[in-house]
Amino acid sequence: MKRGIIALGLLASLSAYSQESYVPQEGEGIVYFLPKTKIAIDIIATKINYQPGDFCLYANRYLRLNDVNTHPESHWEIKDIQVRLVGVPDSTKAYIMKIKDKNMASNVELTDEGIVKAINTTSTEEETLPDYNLEKAQPQEDARTYMTEDILMAGSTAKMAELTAREIYNIRDSKNLILRGQADTMPKDGASLQLVIDQLSKQEKALTQAFTGVTSRTDKVFTILIEPGEETQEQIAARFSTQLGVLPTDNLAGEPIYIRIRNISSFHAPEEKKKKKRKDDIIYNIPGKGKVTVSYKGKELFNEEMPLTQYGYTEALVDGLFEKKINTRVIFNSTTGGILKIDKD
């Protein structure tokens, strides 16, 4: 992890992130940001594609399958909605941690964006995106691989369909004879039996799909970032259409997905907390709490309390925490800027 951003007294250098293992000189300091919280809405949507089979028009005649769709079709479904917090640098909360002779706060760990993570230790917090179990379109067997020479040489699609249906019935009969132990040649053991049954089922499925068609499902994650603002806010986070999928808020072709954020903090910053802090103070966040609700078509899909920096305030670490004779270690939450742990020896 990259540690430390060196400031030579100029906040204009805040964008020049990261320098490895630098020992600050007199008058220098480490530039760090506190985070502000954004709400990430992950919409996991599934695109469903249907392609009719070559023999779809004959599905009822030869296989007695009703209501087989003869036209290609594509649509979207919402599979799941997850809500998480993301910490981004707050440009209004950039500070320089001064390094003095008697001060032991010289080992500072920052995120790649310059948000403070730890002092005199290493944070175990992992900066990883959620690993959703996404469904992907599976490769489909080509029915022609299992068609006999008679089927492939047939003079018309109708004849090919008839012969393919006959082959499907033959495969079913073979499976039944094997399962009943009545086949002329039986597999030698259970593993061989299962292998033969699986292979016959694979052939039957591929040939049947020549009548029923193939449906594939592919998941995709759409992420919308919302920044909490006023004490209470309700807004459209995105829109969703079964034909077009996830859409921006101004596309009226989709139904709105609403997010509601309400401040439910049980505290307010005392007046003394609002006094101007000293330039040598090490500042951290005390996040407030918000109630976040996501709904679609009148149904709540998410409803939880979450820590939000916008509803809290900042505080300074107590004086003398980093004296030379004391090894103090502090770990911060890089999403909220609050303190996770303090210990010393």
Side-chain angles (χ1 to χ4, degrees):
M1 176 59 64
K2 297 178 179 178
R3 300 173 179 273
I5 300 176
I6 307 308
L8 303 177
L10 297 175
L11 280 176
S13 64
L14 291 179
S15 60
Y17 294 143
S18 327
Q19 183 165 336
E20 297 261 3
S21 304
Y22 183 88
V23 180
Q25 304 299 318
E26 183 179 357
E28 297 180 356
I30 300 173
V31 176
Y32 67 96
F33 288 96
L34 293 182
K36 60 181 175 181
T37 310
K38 288 191 176 183
I39 298 171
I41 305 173
D42 291 334
I43 304 172
I44 299 96
T46 305
K47 187 174 185 180
I48 302 169
N49 285 311
Y50 168 76
Q51 289 295 328
D54 292 339
F55 307 145
C56 60
L57 296 175
Y58 306 96
N60 184 44
R61 180 189 300 181
Y62 295 122
L63 294 182
R64 296 296 183 265
L65 296 174
N66 300 319
D67 302 324
V68 171
N69 193 348
T70 60
H71 301 287
E73 186 181 272
S74 179
H75 68 278
W76 288 84
E77 295 176 356
I78 292 180
K79 184 176 184 178
D80 193 14
I81 288 185
Q82 296 289 331
V83 179
R84 56 190 171 88
L85 298 180
V86 177
V88 298
D90 188 341
S91 60
T92 68
K93 295 180 181 177
Y95 304 96
I96 297 180
M97 194 180 301
K98 295 293 185 179
I99 305 301
K100 300 178 180 178
D101 291 340
K102 296 182 179 181
N103 193 308
M104 294 297 290
S106 57
N107 181 7
V108 179
E109 182 182 18
L110 307 175
T111 69
D112 290 338
E113 295 180 309
I115 297 173
V116 63
K117 290 184 68 176
I119 300 175
N120 291 339
T121 187
T122 300
S123 172
T124 57
E125 197 177 27
E126 295 184 3
E127 299 174 41
T128 57
L129 293 175
D131 184 18
Y132 297 120
N133 185 19
L134 301 181
E135 190 174 356
K136 297 181 180 179
Q138 300 299 315
Q140 301 293 334
E141 291 284 342
D142 184 358
R144 291 180 178 271
T145 303
Y146 304 108
M147 290 182 181
T148 64
E149 182 180 356
D150 289 342
I151 297 173
L152 294 173
M153 296 297 291
S156 67
T157 302
K159 187 62 177 178
M160 289 182 69
E162 179 185 353
L163 294 175
T164 300
R166 190 176 300 170
E167 183 69 13
I168 292 171
Y169 290 127
N170 289 337
I171 292 172
R172 292 176 181 175
D173 289 341
S174 297
K175 286 170 61 178
N176 287 333
L177 288 173
I178 292 173
L179 292 173
R180 293 170 184 167
Q182 299 174 351
D184 293 337
T185 303
M186 288 293 297
K188 295 180 179 180
D189 52 42
S192 300
L193 173 65
Q194 188 62 54
L195 186 63
V196 171
I197 293 298
D198 289 345
Q199 184 60 31
L200 290 173
S201 297
K202 185 178 180 180
Q203 295 177 19
E204 180 187 357
K205 180 181 178 182
L207 293 174
T208 302
Q209 286 177 338
F211 292 89
T212 62
V214 176
T215 299
S216 64
R217 301 171 63 91
T218 305
D219 292 344
K220 185 175 180 180
V221 180
F222 299 84
T223 299
I224 294 94
L225 291 178
I226 304 294
E227 184 171 336
E230 301 297 329
E231 291 289 292
T232 300
Q233 66 185 83
E234 184 170 7
Q235 66 188 79
I236 297 174
R239 291 180 180 270
F240 182 79
S241 164
T242 56
Q243 296 301 314
L244 302 174
V246 179
L247 302 171
T249 57
D250 58 355
N251 191 330
L252 301 183
E255 294 285 335
I257 299 174
Y258 290 100
I259 180 171
R260 187 171 189 266
I261 309 168
R262 183 166 57 92
N263 185 358
I264 59 170
S265 300
S266 59
F267 63 81
H268 294 282
E271 290 301 320
E272 59 267 20
K273 305 292 185 186
K274 299 179 181 179
K275 293 180 180 178
K276 185 176 181 180
K277 298 175 177 64
R278 298 178 304 173
K279 63 180 181 179
D280 293 340
D281 287 342
I282 298 175
I283 310 300
Y284 65 96
N285 283 334
I286 296 181
K289 186 181 293 185
K291 186 71 169 289
V292 180
T293 305
V294 177
S295 59
Y296 175 63
K297 288 187 174 180
K299 181 180 179 181
E300 284 191 359
L301 303 178
F302 182 88
N303 188 344
E304 286 188 16
E305 298 178 3
M306 310 185 85
L308 301 175
T309 59
Q310 287 84 343
Y311 299 154
Y313 59 95
T314 58
E315 183 57 280
L317 290 175
V318 296
D319 292 337
L321 198 59
F322 296 100
E323 296 294 335
K324 266 193 171 181
K325 295 182 179 180
I326 304 174
N327 181 20
T328 303
R329 298 173 293 277
V330 185
I331 298 177
F332 300 92
N333 185 315
S334 61
T335 301
T336 65
I339 293 177
L340 290 178
K341 182 180 181 182
I342 298 181
D343 58 15
K344 57 186 178 179
D345 51 37

